[in-house]
Amino acid sequence: MKPDDPLLKILACPIDKGPLHLLAEEAGREEALYNPRLHRRYPITDGIPQLLPSSGEQVPDDEHEELLKRMAR
């Protein structure tokens, strides 16, 4: 998925219905969508976002801070 993909504008978190941020593939981590409000990351498998509530994983506070820095770049 590319950062300018129009699909990103309509994708929403399945829990709070808010916008998600694309996390590009980096340092052995696969591409994912991130909800900074709930500290939840949703995987993108074979280009398809997995947006079921059960597919998301909770991100610890220290990793959340790191992800916020990545998103600010």
Side-chain angles (χ1 to χ4, degrees):
M1 186 170 270
K2 295 181 180 182
D4 60 347
D5 192 324
L7 183 61
L8 283 174
K9 293 180 182 179
I10 61 170
L11 291 177
C13 174
I15 298 172
D16 75 356
K17 311 300 186 232
L20 297 167
H21 299 274
L22 179 64
L23 299 174
E25 194 172 333
E26 183 178 286
R29 287 214 171 254
E30 293 185 6
E31 194 175 40
L33 293 170
Y34 187 60
N35 178 340
R37 298 168 306 284
L38 299 179
H39 298 211
R40 292 187 67 79
R41 176 179 33 233
Y42 297 93
I44 298 175
T45 307
D46 296 327
I48 302 169
Q50 307 299 309
L51 293 177
L52 294 173
S54 60
S55 298
E57 68 173 335
Q58 196 68 32
V59 172
D61 287 339
D62 58 331
E63 187 175 352
H64 169 73
E65 294 300 324
E66 185 179 315
L67 291 173
L68 289 178
K69 289 176 187 172
R70 275 179 58 189
M71 288 170 26
R73 291 186 214 159

